[in-house]
Structure formats: C-alpha cells, structure tokens
Amino acid sequence: MMIAFIGESLVDLISSDGENFTKRIGGSPLNIARNLNQFNIKTVVISRVGNDFFGKEIIQTLEGENIKTNYIQVGSGNTSTVIVFASKGTPDFIPYRDEDMNLEIPNLDFEKFEFIHLSCWAITNGIEKIKHILTKTKIAFDPNCRKKIFPCKKINLDFVYEVLKNTFIVKPSLDDAREIFGPLPRTRYIELLHDFGIKYVILTMGEEGALVSDGKKIEHIKIPAKKVVDTTGAGDAFWSGIYYGLLNNFSIFKAALFGTIISLHVIGEVGGVVKLKDISEYLEEVERYENSVL
C-alpha cells in the first residue's frame, strides 16, 4: 500500500525572535511522507524545487532517508521558502513562493495508491492540472488555505470546493475552517464538510484537542501536552498518525487518537519533522488512553 503526496517542498526558516533562524526542509506533504517513512510506509512525493542549494538539500535529504525522489521536479527558479514564527499557538508565516507554483502532475497510475494526499498549495494556480486525479482513489485533502498563498491574495473557493466534493477525508485546523467558511460554531464546520459528501472530518483545535466525525457521531479527543516548544509540525504529525491508523484498519477515532499522540511528541521539539519513537511506544500510549476513558 502506498500514498501519493502532492504539494509543496520548501525550506522553513523558523524564528522565535525575528533575528535568529533555524533552517529546516519542510512543506506539509514532505513532512508527512518523511514521518511515514519512519514507520516503513511507502510514499511517492510529487513536488517541485528550484535548481539551487535548498532544492539540492531537499533531494539529498530524502535520498539519505531512502525516500524516492523520482517525482520531485527541478525547475530553473528558486526553491520556495517560508519564514515561520515559532509559537506555542498556531505559527504565523510569510511565504516566498517560486518553483512550487510550477508543479506538473506526472502520468502515473494513481488508482494504485491507497490515498492521494493533496495540499491546498497545489491548487492555488488552478485546478485543471489535478482535476483528472480527483476520482482515481481516496482523496485526503489538507485545506491549509490562506489568502497569502494564492496569487490573487484571496482564497479561490471554487477550487477548494471542487476538491472538497471529491474528498474522502479532510483535516482542517480551526484556523483553516475559519479561513474557508468564516466564523461559525465548530460543529457547523463539521456539518458543512460532510455536506460535500466527505466521509471523515477531523477538526483540530490546538490545545483543545480534536473533534472527529464519521458522519454519525462526533468524538472529542483531548490529551494535555507535557511540553510545547514549536507547533510547526503538529498538523503534519497528526496526518501521519491518521494514515498509519487507516492503513492498519483502525477506526477513524483510533487513527485520530494515534495522530494526536504523535503530534504531542513533535511539538516538544523544533521543526516539522523529528526523530519519531518506535511505533510500539505510540501504540502503548494509545492503549493507555483508551483504557483510561473506558
């Protein structure tokens, strides 16, 4: 079983004071693929970098982790870069987009993938390039939509809605949902997303946990964080747990619990990707939580 990731590969320059920066290769699809690689789950990353030092570093890093780079395109421009302001809440960021906006979709048999993970970044220039793959297999959409990543500086809702109509699972943060739908009660966001025909909806809410819905019931998963250093990779870690769970026949609620536990580990360190623990340790934490709420 494999997962295809389509979206941005870039460099994060992370700072908590605006003067000192920590460099990390990133981009949500890349982060999730790297996390899953640590769990021995096969992934294909479809992305685009520049013919520069950062682009070469991204490719070399992935090759060093035994992640195939066949479908990471190299353009003549620059690798996209994001300045991230490290925070215990939702981190703010400033994107400097270049080659990631020129991404082309390769001619692949997308039906062989268990999931296609699609980042909002991949549709900001238009939806025609990816429209043909939306019905090939289960679409997992990360609606990490912000006005600042669209060329017109406003969210193109037509593009977003077209993807949502073909989505199997979606995991917006509370900030994502507000950007797309405006200020609404939290359960209303879940209802609106199910109205598109989406099977699984997970609304993450930072330290307040996550609301997980299968369209019939909603469960609230909340585990207090022991240590919060940088929330940059929290959502990507959460996605990693969801995928591991669904590929191993967990219910969506157990998969989201697994994602929660991994994200709590990641936010204790700086950067979107950290060295993960052995899978058995996370599974033991899942079991302890499940036993504690019975």
Side-chain angles (χ1 to χ4, degrees):
M1 293 184 289
M2 289 192 298
I3 302 174
F5 289 89
I6 302 176
E8 68 279 10
S9 291
L10 44 82
V11 168
D12 287 326
L13 300 176
I14 306 168
S15 178
S16 57
D17 59 11
E19 296 182 2
N20 301 291
F21 293 85
T22 300
K23 177 172 64 68
R24 294 283 190 274
I25 69 170
S28 179
L30 196 69
N31 290 343
I32 304 168
R34 293 178 69 199
N35 285 336
L36 290 175
N37 183 60
Q38 296 186 61
F39 294 152
N40 296 314
I41 292 175
K42 293 181 180 180
T43 62
V44 169
V45 179
I46 300 168
S47 193
R48 190 177 180 95
V49 299
N51 186 23
D52 55 16
F53 177 84
F54 287 155
K56 293 173 183 176
E57 181 181 8
I58 287 172
I59 291 173
Q60 289 171 358
T61 299
L62 296 184
E63 290 176 342
E65 296 174 358
N66 294 315
I67 297 176
K68 291 184 178 180
T69 59
N70 309 45
Y71 299 105
I72 297 185
Q73 303 149 25
V74 180
S76 59
N78 296 314
T79 301
S80 298
T81 305
V82 174
I83 295 176
V84 181
F85 300 99
S87 169
K88 293 184 178 181
T90 302
D92 195 11
F93 67 95
I94 301 173
Y96 295 92
R97 301 188 66 185
D98 195 334
E99 280 297 341
D100 88 275
M101 298 187 72
N102 300 321
L103 177 65
E104 298 289 338
I105 303 301
N107 185 20
L108 285 175
D109 179 9
F110 284 99
E111 293 178 354
K112 70 181 180 181
F113 295 102
E114 188 73 17
F115 295 97
I116 297 173
H117 180 98
L118 186 63
S119 166
C120 188
W121 290 56
I123 65 170
T124 56
N125 254 7
I127 201 168
E128 291 306 315
K129 289 181 180 180
I130 61 95
K131 197 170 184 179
H132 68 286
I133 68 172
L134 294 179
T135 57
K136 298 298 184 182
T137 188
K138 295 190 286 289
I139 298 295
F141 183 42
D142 185 356
N144 48 354
C145 306
R146 296 293 183 275
K147 300 178 181 68
K148 64 181 75 175
I149 70 172
F150 284 79
C152 59
K153 301 307 177 186
K154 65 178 182 178
I155 296 173
N156 190 315
L157 292 176
D158 289 339
F159 296 166
V160 175
Y161 289 170
E162 183 68 24
V163 175
L164 289 173
K165 286 187 291 185
N166 293 278
T167 292
F168 175 81
I169 179 171
V170 66
K171 189 203 72 60
S173 69
L174 194 55
D175 291 322
D176 296 337
R178 286 174 179 150
E179 287 287 328
I180 296 169
F181 298 113
L184 293 169
R186 297 173 184 190
T187 55
R188 182 59 181 151
Y189 292 133
I190 292 173
E191 292 171 354
L192 287 172
L193 289 165
H194 278 306
D195 286 345
F196 284 98
I198 299 171
K199 183 170 184 179
Y200 298 137
V201 177
I202 301 172
L203 181 69
T204 55
M205 307 177 293
E207 64 182 11
E208 296 180 66
L211 296 178
V212 185
S213 173
D214 64 357
K216 298 176 182 177
K217 66 174 180 176
I218 297 175
E219 288 190 7
H220 184 193
I221 297 174
K222 181 180 179 181
I223 306 175
K226 295 179 181 178
K227 180 183 178 182
V228 180
V229 174
D230 176 19
T231 61
T232 303
D236 303 333
F238 201 115
W239 267 117
S240 306
I242 292 170
Y243 283 127
Y244 180 90
L246 294 180
L247 290 175
N248 285 276
N249 299 314
F250 291 7
S251 72
I252 188 58
F253 305 103
K254 185 172 182 177
L257 172 59
F258 191 76
T260 298
I261 287 169
I262 296 174
S263 67
L264 290 175
H265 173 198
V266 170
I267 64 175
E269 301 182 37
V270 174
V273 176
V274 304
K275 175 64 177 175
L276 299 179
K277 296 184 287 188
D278 187 87
I279 196 75
S280 61
E281 295 187 48
Y282 295 122
L283 292 173
E284 288 172 2
E285 290 186 53
V286 168
E287 186 176 356
R288 283 196 296 270
Y289 178 86
E290 289 181 324
N291 290 335
S292 71
V293 298
L294 290 177

